[in-house]
Amino acid sequence: MDIVHPLKIWRKANGLSTIEVGRRLGCTRQTVCRYEAGTRIPERSVLDRIIIMTGGSVTANDWVGTQASQVLSGQSADKEAADASSANAD
């Protein structure tokens, strides 16, 4: 069974074509198809537009997982681990 990407689910639920989504994001229909297939990860600026466009229904986690999305958002997984370590040491 194929897993359908959340961007495609959102797009279809909102009755939009890949061309229309591409126009909203400032990219081509082909690029939207690659995002939906998971063969291309959006750049940060496009990802921000996707999150805004979908009202948060589609996030970085949908492409790269939780730890990588924290890196994209400026959080350091190492810093969080260090914070957890120091909290346990107290």
Side-chain angles (χ1 to χ4, degrees):
M1 182 174 134
D2 290 332
I3 297 174
V4 180
H5 195 277
L7 180 59
K8 186 172 189 173
I9 294 169
W10 180 88
R11 177 178 62 78
K12 289 188 170 260
N14 287 277
L16 299 172
S17 69
T18 53
I19 293 171
E20 292 167 317
V21 171
R23 284 185 186 141
R24 290 182 182 196
L25 298 177
C27 62
T28 66
R29 171 191 70 78
Q30 293 87 347
T31 300
V32 173
C33 289
R34 289 180 186 119
Y35 293 156
E36 291 180 348
T39 59
R40 183 171 180 170
I41 298 173
E43 293 181 7
R44 174 67 189 260
S45 60
V46 176
L47 181 58
D48 289 343
R49 290 193 297 268
I50 290 170
I51 293 167
I52 291 167
M53 177 182 71
T54 64
S57 296
V58 181
T59 67
N61 292 343
D62 296 312
W63 281 278
V64 295
T66 304
Q67 188 174 19
S69 69
Q70 290 171 344
V71 171
L72 285 174
S73 68
Q75 298 174 2
S76 167
D78 293 334
K79 180 183 180 308
E80 288 179 7
D83 291 346
S85 261
S86 66
N88 290 336
D90 293 338

